[in-house]
Amino acid sequence: MSDAERHDPDAPEDEVLGKAFDSVLIGRLLRYVRPHIRLFVATVVTVVSISALSLLGPYLVRLAIDGPIQGAIDGTMSASQAHGELLWIVAIYAIVLLVELGGELLGVVLTNQTGQRIIRGLREQLFGHVQKMGLRYFDRHPVGRLVTRVTSDVEALNELFTSGLAMVFQDVFVILFITIVLFILDVELALTAFVVVPLLLVVSEVFKRRSRSAYRDVRARLSRMNSNLQEVLSGMRVVQLFTQERRMSNRFKDANRDFQRANLDTVFNYALFFPAVEILMAAGLAGIIWIGGRSILLATPGEETLTYGILVQFIMYLRRLFEPIRQLSEKYNILQAAMAAAERVFKVLDTKVEVPEPESPVALPPRIRGAIEFDEVTFAYREGEPVIHDLGFTIEPGERVAVVGATGAGKSTVLNLLLRFYDVDKGTVRVDGHDVRSLALPDLRRRVGIVLQDVFLFSRSIEDNLRLGNPDITRERIERAAGTVNAARFIERMDNGYESQLRERGANLSVGERQLLAFARALAWDPEILILDEATSSVDTETEGMIQDALHKLMQNRTSIIIAHRLSTIREVDRILVFHKGRIREQGTHEQLLAERGIYHKLVQLQYRGT
Amino acid sequence: MREFGTILDLVKRHRVAFLIGPIFVLLTNGLRIVAPELVQFAIDFIGAEGEEPSLAGRAVLGMADTFGITHESATIITLTAATILVAALCQGVFQFFMRYVMIGASRRVEFDLRQRVFDHLQTLPPSAFESMRIGDVMTRSTSDIESIRMCVGPAIMYLTNTLTILPLCLVMMFLKNPTLALFAMIPLALLTLAIRLIMPRMYKHSREVQEQMSAISTHAQENFSGVRVVKAFHREQYEIDGFRKLNGEYVRANLRLAWSRGLVNGVINVCAGAGVALVLWLGGRDIVRGDFTLGKFIAFNQYQLMLLWPMIAMGWVLSLLQRGVASMERINEILAIEPAIRNESSASSEPIRGAIEFRGFSFSYGETPLLQNIDLSIPAGHTVAIVGRTGSGKSTLVSVLPRLLEVPRHRVFIDGREIHDIPLEQLRSSIGMVPQDTFLFSDTVRNNIAFGRPDATDDEVREAARIAGIDDAIDELPNGYEQMIGERGVNLSGGQKQRLAIARAIVKDPAILILDDCLSAVDTETEERILAGLRPKMRGRTCVVVAHRVSTIKDADRIVVIDEGTIVEEGSHDELVAANGIYAEIERRQKLEDELERFG
């Protein structure tokens, strides 16, 4: 196997889509290069000089052959003289090699440095932008896809900047340089060598086309086979219940066979391509030997234009010329994948933030009173399907209110609108008399603490999960908060106490423990308004007692809204709002509402019976 | 390498390819040395007339004699060039077969292995997939099988290649100039050594890059999923800072990788160059002395370049083999899982009528007992409803009947026969079960209904759909019964899915029908319709219904209430309501719910 096969077909390739050159996209990408333009230029200069240096080798070999070696053979030079001169050339060669080693290293490092710097800025901008999006955006875009934008798509662009651009400069330079030198040295011989170049281009192009469609086949069939496998694995119970194992096996065999066939096509392509390149290279070599050899032989002594040295230089350069030409189509693929990725990335960056910050926000005093007002609010998550209609209620500072209602009654929407996760379609939500849309988002959200039903914990330490990076919250405050809400006990029991690492989504904690952590988090942040979406999942009696106790302490001296599922919680509040199909249907204290024997009465009997 | 024992028979199945492949490698490499030899001959032939021609040169001259061509220099050169081309063509042909045969064989082994894994997975009980995550099984059957294939294919090919081309080139070089050959090999040996030294570093760095990438990905993933918390606590900037930090580490990891990559590139180039320089120096000195020729010098040069990639490949092959062994271990782990539930009876027996009996049946998951000492006898043709709280063991009880769970012996009887004595296939095909979580395949509606009986007629499929109360909904689909559903088709509602699953069980025409809480997502009215449709169909068949809704079960011959693993109440609807126990409580709740539903 020659070095032609160094690029193994089994190396993963990027999914290829769309065109390879889009001037608008390129223009926009170049804007990210501008801040690093010096580094970029330095990289290109280094890479190009190193390739120039690497082309010196064959030239030195030619000098040695045509100089001392030929001289000694012809007898125009004494042995010691020839030997001395040879030693000089070899010494220069050795120096060139050493410089090349350093240069090569520098080139690769610089290319990566440039690419990484450019990409780093882009990735951070992208992440920051997604971070600012309203929740509606997250409703519409699956998390997995957004993660792909920030990771694989940005990586494809990284590929463009690291292996793509700089290498293009290098390859183009090498091809141009060798071409020019060959033609200067000997036009006839250069033409001979170049006879195979168009053939090489054709072979590469044909190969590229074939392998691209084969690659697409492989991907498509692989994903079909995998989804078949995934399906059978997930539905194994059904397969076995219906005794369809044999049929499923045959079905998988078909998919497996299809995948194998597509792969064999690819094997065939590569099996054809690699020898083809070698044959062309051999043809070039044969051509040079033929034309060059005859030219030397037939030249009248004294008038030779071609020397052995030049012949050797030709042979050596031919090899160097083939590599970049063969790789042009690979570079093309990188470019194409990068363009597709750029398009997707820019699409995200071009999406406007749906919940905009007000231009001149109303400044809130350091401590607010905590009055809440919903004024004729209508809201729909999906157009035409409003979840709340003309909803109106007020909550006094310090009041504790429970919101109850069946699933889908619109309870959680209160939380979403108050925190401005979404903007109302009609009406106004006010905090201390200010429209929430007139407040700076951090200013608003700082005043409202939430505990969500599905407690979200990060895979970081407990302390980090409570502090969430707020420098104002001291370790002492954290420990006090945890102590107050009865979380300290289990935290201190853990191996590393507050430094214990949580697993993804706090998987190493029980439901009750997660709940208590969320309480501690809310308390440590000390908001003026508290909203709590109670968890429905049941916990044991002991934990339930701790949760209720913590909740009681948490609600003290702050406006509290509880989206309640437990009777014990409801008993704690001053007022209960009964939601039904997007409206408030009943309100009052527990006793008043029970006496009404309406919806609340039913709900209580149904949900709080304690089955 | 012992790990590969499991696939030895698969390799043997394609032994012809594994034997012929290396022959093609040898032929390819044998022809590969023709070109340098001929170049040497050509150059020396042009230059020094007196030089003794090499073996290849003598062959060309011999060829010239055969064709009656004169030994005139120009024609000999032409003939030499033509021979180079012809040799290259032949070499190309062999090279094609080498790749096609060897890599192709690896694809065939891959196919067989994947099929074997798949078939093995199908013999495992559903519970096996709870302890073994599906994602994990997927990874094993894709990337692990792929790295095994890399061992069987490319690794063997490159290994054979290096092992044949290296001695060939060495011999040719030694024949020309032993001292020089020795010196020429120094940079190449150093190259292999350097690659072996740098490679682990490079793998380490590239692993670090991957780890950092996955840290970035996890951060983004977590951040986007927890966006409510991030926003509620206005932590956007903090999160961005955290992301920036990870990003910085990723950049640093990448640069470390770049260093080792640059080092590898540099070392390769320099070793190649050093070889040339060494030969230039020592060979040049010998030429000056008259001990060596220009042609030999150039041939040497070509051999060195020829050896470059095979020497690099050695390091790569070693790591392929390493990874392959680890992958093979993971695949062996799967293949080593014994199917816990297997057919233990081949006696083809009379058809199952459907009498079910549990005698002192207990079941536990690990240490936790779930069902204790259940005695329950259901005569053939009866309908029995099972109610109880979530987690009370109802589903477990019914999953035992088609032996989806491993059943203790002499506790469960069908038609009076110990359940293990009934051939597994017969048992399962006599039971129509609608499991709790509806699983449909992304296939057409028709194929989903006829899943258990692909040969069912259109009429049978329609009839089942009608009984399950899904026929109208199917007719409304754009393509009716040929409509694709699931991932690549339309999405059905939970209730529609449940009804399709019922139709699927009905088509089987089973002696025993088990409905495991499978009407939870349909409204009361539809439920009524389905039950009414089922009644005539189920006449004379045994029916076990697990349900929450009183309306579903009130007409059953008998209702069994399970609580904390034992049967606590048993009787007809009226009897149980009168008893004022758990069942009566459920019934009262049901009424309340219905009333609430009626509130505007």
Side-chain angles (χ1 to χ4, degrees):
Chain A
M1 256 130 294
S2 70
D3 39 3
E5 296 194 25
R6 205 180 296 166
H7 303 271
D8 196 82
D10 295 290
E13 274 179 274
D14 281 315
E15 201 90 38
V16 173
L17 289 159
K19 52 180 170 179
F21 193 85
D22 182 321
S23 52
V24 180
L25 285 178
I26 295 264
R28 230 177 133 173
L29 281 174
L30 284 180
R31 255 183 270 161
Y32 289 88
V33 178
R34 201 174 300 150
H36 311 285
I37 190 72
R38 284 176 182 205
L39 191 60
F40 187 77
V41 171
T43 306
V44 171
V45 169
T46 310
V47 165
V48 167
S49 348
I50 290 307
S51 7
L53 202 62
S54 73
L55 295 176
L56 261 180
Y59 175 71
L60 288 171
V61 172
R62 167 189 152 198
L63 282 188
I65 292 173
D66 287 349
I69 293 178
Q70 197 63 47
I73 292 173
D74 296 346
T76 51
M77 218 184 261
S78 76
S80 64
Q81 199 185 357
H83 196 230
E85 214 169 293
L86 188 63
L87 210 57
W88 265 111
I89 293 172
V90 172
I92 293 170
Y93 201 163
I95 293 165
V96 167
L97 281 176
L98 280 179
V99 176
E100 209 186 319
L101 176 65
E104 187 79 38
L105 197 56
L106 189 70
V108 175
V109 171
L110 271 180
T111 332
N112 271 276
Q113 188 123 35
T114 319
Q116 290 291 342
R117 279 207 194 159
I118 296 169
I119 281 312
R120 186 179 175 174
L122 180 65
R123 182 181 279 127
E124 283 168 9
Q125 188 198 3
L126 188 63
F127 181 81
H129 190 74
V130 174
Q131 189 81 122
K132 287 201 186 72
M133 294 289 185
L135 276 177
R136 224 180 259 276
Y137 185 79
F138 290 92
D139 293 344
R140 274 199 302 261
H141 298 83
V143 168
R145 208 171 299 160
L146 291 176
V147 173
T148 312
R149 292 295 97 79
V150 181
T151 53
S152 333
D153 282 345
V154 174
E155 270 317 282
L157 290 174
N158 181 26
E159 189 73 3
L160 170 72
F161 286 114
T162 47
S163 357
L165 278 187
M167 293 298 169
V168 165
F169 281 106
Q170 186 177 17
D171 287 351
V172 168
F173 169 80
V174 168
I175 294 171
L176 278 181
F177 183 84
I178 292 185
T179 310
I180 291 168
V181 169
L182 291 189
F183 273 95
I184 289 174
L185 286 177
D186 190 308
V187 178
E188 197 189 353
L189 208 51
L191 282 175
T192 317
F194 271 85
V195 166
V196 294
V197 169
L199 282 173
L200 182 61
L201 284 174
V202 169
V203 166
S204 301
E205 181 61 23
V206 169
F207 171 71
K208 188 189 81 189
R209 292 228 175 123
R210 289 185 58 134
S211 67
R212 207 196 309 165
S213 79
Y215 176 70
R216 235 178 251 149
D217 273 1
V218 167
R219 302 301 306 179
R221 289 172 187 194
L222 175 67
S223 97
R224 201 161 70 84
M225 184 182 74
N226 276 344
S227 59
N228 185 322
L229 176 62
Q230 166 118 36
E231 194 171 59
V232 172
L233 290 179
S234 339
M236 190 60 83
R237 184 178 290 267
V238 175
V239 172
Q240 294 187 350
L241 264 176
F242 287 80
T243 56
Q244 296 300 311
E245 291 93 333
R246 227 163 297 145
R247 192 157 69 92
M248 290 299 113
S249 174
N250 285 331
R251 206 155 120 174
F252 182 75
K253 193 177 273 175
D254 288 343
N256 195 1
R257 176 92 57 207
D258 274 356
F259 177 61
Q260 185 207 25
R261 291 218 177 101
N263 274 319
L264 287 177
D265 281 352
T266 308
V267 174
F268 181 81
N269 280 345
Y270 279 94
L272 218 52
F273 178 63
F274 286 135
V277 172
E278 286 206 34
I279 289 171
L280 286 178
M281 201 131 73
L285 180 68
I288 291 173
I289 295 283
W290 182 47
I291 300 289
R294 286 169 65 98
S295 158
I296 294 178
L297 273 177
L298 303 178
T300 27
E303 285 173 26
E304 303 101 333
T305 48
L306 193 62
T307 62
Y308 289 111
I310 292 176
L311 203 60
V312 172
Q313 196 182 359
F314 253 90
I315 294 172
M316 287 176 141
Y317 271 169
L318 190 67
R319 190 179 271 274
R320 297 294 264 275
L321 185 66
F322 262 54
E323 194 57 10
I325 292 182
R326 197 180 64 78
Q327 279 183 27
L328 278 182
S329 39
E330 263 168 55
K331 296 288 145 68
Y332 182 84
N333 284 351
I334 291 178
L335 210 62
Q336 213 172 20
M339 285 303 117
E343 207 171 316
R344 289 193 290 264
V345 165
F346 287 140
K347 200 175 154 205
V348 174
L349 287 177
D350 290 342
T351 313
K352 282 208 176 61
V353 177
E354 276 171 77
V355 180
E357 289 267 8
E359 299 252 323
S360 46
V362 175
L364 288 174
R367 202 97 200 141
I368 61 164
R369 291 180 301 124
I372 298 165
E373 185 188 350
F374 271 62
D375 187 1
E376 300 296 304
V377 171
T378 299
F379 175 76
Y381 290 103
R382 271 192 289 178
E383 220 169 311
E385 296 170 35
V387 284
I388 57 174
H389 320 261
D390 301 329
L391 183 74
F393 62 86
T394 53
I395 297 173
E396 301 301 323
E399 198 183 6
R400 293 170 301 180
V401 169
V403 175
V404 298
T407 326
K411 292 171 299 189
S412 307
T413 309
V414 171
L415 180 154
N416 285 336
L417 296 179
L418 185 59
L419 274 161
R420 239 192 124 200
F421 283 159
Y422 300 82
D423 271 340
V424 295
D425 293 334
K426 242 170 46 197
T428 319
V429 176
R430 294 191 189 90
V431 168
D432 274 15
H434 304 290
D435 187 338
V436 289
R437 282 168 296 188
S438 69
L439 304 172
L441 277 175
D443 208 15
L444 166 70
R445 289 175 180 162
R446 190 151 54 90
R447 319 307 174 117
V448 187
I450 61 163
V451 175
L452 294 170
Q453 192 174 35
D454 174 22
V455 175
F456 190 90
L457 294 169
F458 294 94
S459 50
R460 304 174 193 169
S461 73
I462 288 190
E463 187 176 348
D464 286 346
N465 265 293
L466 297 184
R467 179 181 288 135
L468 291 176
N470 184 344
D472 297 340
I473 296 175
T474 59
R475 171 66 178 256
E476 199 208 335
R477 202 160 131 191
I478 285 174
E479 288 183 19
R480 211 171 44 225
T484 312
V485 300
N486 308 316
R489 240 196 321 160
F490 84 83
I491 296 175
E492 278 153 19
R493 262 206 315 267
M494 294 180 78
D495 285 344
N496 295 309
Y498 288 85
E499 276 80 42
S500 308
Q501 287 293 319
L502 296 185
R503 276 198 240 127
E504 206 180 337
R505 288 185 166 250
N508 45 345
L509 297 178
S510 74
V511 178
E513 288 168 339
R514 287 206 289 265
Q515 193 80 42
L516 291 178
L517 272 192
F519 286 171
R521 177 155 73 191
L523 188 64
W525 283 69
D526 191 24
E528 287 96 323
I529 299 171
L530 174 78
I531 309 185
L532 181 127
D533 197 352
E534 224 176 32
T536 39
S537 25
S538 46
V539 292
D540 60 76
T541 347
E542 198 200 353
T543 319
E544 177 65 31
M546 290 204 287
I547 288 179
Q548 289 312 322
D549 178 63
L551 193 56
H552 178 76
K553 291 172 185 158
L554 198 58
M555 288 195 292
Q556 264 168 6
N557 304 321
R558 51 187 119 234
T559 313
S560 310
I561 303 177
I562 291 158
I563 297 161
H565 303 292
R566 295 193 185 96
L567 188 59
S568 41
T569 316
I570 296 178
R571 288 238 166 93
E572 292 264 332
V573 302
D574 304 316
R575 189 154 51 110
I576 297 163
L577 304 177
V578 182
F579 274 49
H580 196 70
K581 301 191 176 165
R583 291 188 167 84
I584 294 180
R585 295 289 299 266
E586 297 166 9
Q587 56 176 307
T589 64
H590 178 63
E591 285 71 23
Q592 285 168 348
L593 289 173
L594 274 188
E596 268 184 45
R597 301 195 75 79
I599 295 176
Y600 183 71
H601 180 73
K602 291 270 177 323
L603 280 170
V604 168
Q605 283 182 296
L606 191 64
Q607 292 185 357
Y608 309 107
R609 251 187 133 93
T611 32
Chain B
M1 291 293 123
R2 214 176 330 111
E3 288 79 4
F4 285 88
T6 27
I7 60 161
L8 206 62
D9 59 319
L10 300 185
V11 172
K12 275 186 190 154
R13 196 180 295 173
H14 305 285
R15 59 175 163 280
V16 178
F18 285 99
L19 292 175
I20 287 186
I23 296 176
F24 282 120
V25 177
L26 195 63
L27 287 172
T28 306
N29 286 334
L31 281 168
R32 192 162 268 155
I33 59 169
V34 169
E37 292 300 309
L38 285 181
V39 170
Q40 174 196 331
F41 165 71
I43 299 228
D44 289 345
F45 184 77
I46 304 164
E49 306 276 326
E51 187 70 32
E52 173 75 7
S54 65
L55 188 68
R58 281 204 296 274
V60 171
L61 292 177
M63 219 157 31
D65 292 339
T66 336
F67 293 131
I69 300 169
T70 55
H71 284 208
E72 191 196 331
S73 309
T75 21
I76 291 299
I77 291 293
T78 313
L79 191 59
T80 309
T83 316
I84 289 177
L85 198 56
V86 171
L89 280 171
C90 297
Q91 181 205 323
V93 172
F94 291 136
Q95 201 179 347
F96 168 83
F97 282 114
M98 165 191 92
R99 213 164 230 286
Y100 196 66
V101 167
M102 295 189 89
I103 308 286
S106 76
R107 288 286 176 196
R108 293 190 170 88
V109 171
E110 177 196 15
F111 170 85
D112 290 344
L113 179 59
R114 184 174 285 119
Q115 196 64 32
R116 173 183 289 186
V117 169
F118 181 87
D119 288 345
H120 182 73
L121 286 171
Q122 283 210 108
T123 64
L124 302 181
S127 59
F129 299 96
E130 282 154 25
S131 58
M132 192 169 41
R133 290 200 325 282
I134 288 179
D136 184 37
V137 179
M138 293 293 295
T139 317
R140 290 182 196 216
S141 66
T142 48
S143 46
D144 280 332
I145 290 188
E146 170 65 13
S147 59
I148 293 170
R149 183 194 76 81
M150 290 294 276
C151 279
V152 177
I156 293 185
M157 184 174 81
Y158 289 123
L159 191 66
T160 351
N161 180 58
T162 306
L163 291 182
T164 47
I165 193 79
L166 183 65
L168 273 171
C169 289
L170 274 179
V171 167
M172 296 319 284
M173 294 201 299
F174 263 97
L175 286 177
K176 289 184 217 315
N177 190 330
T179 335
L180 199 54
L182 218 60
F183 277 104
M185 279 315 289
I186 291 173
L188 287 174
L190 284 177
L191 177 61
T192 313
L193 198 68
I195 294 287
R196 277 299 286 160
L197 285 177
I198 306 171
M199 272 298 176
R201 241 179 74 110
M202 209 161 107
Y203 280 129
K204 196 178 126 234
H205 292 318
S206 100
R207 230 189 355 261
E208 279 167 9
V209 166
Q210 274 165 24
E211 278 161 16
Q212 281 305 324
M213 188 71 230
S214 91
I216 286 182
S217 166
T218 309
H219 184 94
Q221 160 98 34
E222 216 172 34
N223 178 280
F224 296 156
S225 333
V227 67
R228 276 160 183 275
V229 173
V230 173
K231 287 188 179 292
F233 289 87
H234 53 94
R235 294 289 85 197
E236 290 94 334
Q237 195 50 50
Y238 172 66
E239 288 295 308
I240 291 173
D241 290 344
F243 185 78
R244 188 167 289 161
K245 221 168 103 194
L246 286 178
N247 217 339
E249 274 159 33
Y250 176 68
V251 168
R252 275 189 290 281
N254 255 308
L255 288 181
R256 280 196 294 273
L257 178 62
W259 273 95
S260 25
R261 249 198 217 139
L263 211 56
V264 168
N265 282 3
V267 165
I268 292 175
N269 283 351
V270 168
C271 285
V276 174
L278 259 178
V279 171
L280 186 63
W281 177 34
L282 299 172
R285 199 184 55 189
D286 287 352
I287 298 177
V288 171
R289 279 204 206 120
D291 297 347
F292 202 48
T293 67
L294 196 54
K296 283 181 181 170
F297 165 79
I298 290 164
F300 243 86
N301 209 298
Q302 297 210 320
Y303 283 129
Q304 279 179 306
L305 283 177
M306 213 177 266
L307 280 177
L308 202 56
W309 168 235
M311 296 300 275
I312 298 167
M314 278 309 277
W316 188 57
V317 165
L318 282 174
S319 65
L320 277 188
L321 291 176
Q322 251 163 20
R323 262 180 285 174
V325 168
S327 291
M328 202 61 235
E329 273 170 18
R330 280 193 289 271
I331 291 294
N332 286 343
E333 266 171 36
I334 291 188
L335 293 177
I337 305 173
E338 292 276 332
I341 296 169
R342 57 176 93 204
N343 186 27
E344 290 165 31
S345 164
S346 57
S348 72
S349 48
E350 56 209 78
I352 288 176
R353 285 174 295 113
I356 300 167
E357 199 185 351
F358 289 91
R359 285 185 209 156
F361 173 75
S362 300
F363 192 88
S364 48
Y365 278 112
E367 297 287 289
T368 3
L370 188 65
L371 290 168
Q372 282 166 11
N373 211 18
I374 300 281
D375 282 305
L376 178 64
S377 163
I378 305 170
H382 274 231
T383 298
V384 166
I386 300 174
V387 289
R389 292 182 234 209
T390 20
S392 59
K394 297 169 303 216
S395 289
T396 308
L397 191 65
V398 292
S399 299
V400 158
L401 297 174
R403 285 181 68 200
L404 286 177
L405 293 169
E406 185 46 3
V407 194
R409 273 164 204 278
H410 308 296
R411 296 291 177 215
V412 185
F413 300 84
I414 306 270
D415 291 351
R417 280 156 66 204
E418 212 288 319
I419 198 163
H420 294 91
D421 291 341
I422 304 168
L424 192 58
E425 194 159 340
Q426 192 200 0
L427 176 72
R428 285 183 177 163
S429 40
S430 317
I431 295 175
M433 184 167 175
V434 187
Q436 205 169 4
D437 39 349
T438 319
F439 183 88
L440 296 175
F441 292 88
S442 35
D443 202 334
T444 63
V445 168
R446 199 213 111 89
N447 288 347
N448 263 294
I449 295 179
F451 182 74
R453 268 186 58 212
D455 57 332
T457 65
D458 282 356
D459 285 341
E460 286 171 315
V461 169
R462 275 169 200 280
E463 171 67 4
R466 194 190 56 74
I467 294 174
I470 185 76
D471 51 339
D472 293 343
I474 295 173
D475 287 331
E476 276 167 29
L477 291 172
N479 298 315
Y481 283 82
E482 296 308 315
Q483 177 66 49
M484 284 293 288
I485 54 173
E487 264 176 56
R488 280 167 290 136
V490 298
N491 268 321
L492 300 177
S493 75
Q496 289 173 327
K497 283 187 198 159
Q498 288 188 336
R499 281 179 276 163
L500 268 190
I502 294 172
R504 176 170 69 189
I506 293 171
V507 169
K508 263 176 100 175
D509 201 18
I512 300 171
L513 182 70
I514 302 171
L515 306 180
D516 185 2
D517 195 14
C518 63
L519 288 165
S520 56
V522 299
D523 57 65
T524 333
E525 216 174 296
T526 319
E527 181 188 1
E528 207 64 59
R529 248 185 72 201
I530 297 170
L531 291 173
L534 270 175
R535 235 162 262 139
K537 178 84 186 168
M538 289 319 293
R539 197 158 292 142
R541 285 160 217 265
T542 312
C543 203
V544 183
V545 184
V546 175
H548 280 114
R549 218 181 276 162
V550 172
S551 50
T552 321
I553 51 188
K554 61 175 192 294
D555 293 327
D557 296 319
R558 193 153 36 117
I559 297 165
V560 174
V561 182
I562 295 185
D563 197 39
E564 299 193 342
T566 53
I567 297 178
V568 289
E569 293 174 25
E570 205 174 338
S572 72
H573 176 78
D574 295 336
E575 285 165 12
L576 290 181
V577 169
N580 203 15
I582 294 181
Y583 184 76
E585 170 68 25
I586 296 173
E587 201 250 346
R588 276 195 293 277
R589 276 178 58 84
Q590 196 80 64
K591 277 194 179 148
L592 278 167
E593 255 170 38
D594 291 347
E595 280 172 42
L596 192 68
E597 187 67 32
R598 267 173 250 134
F599 266 92

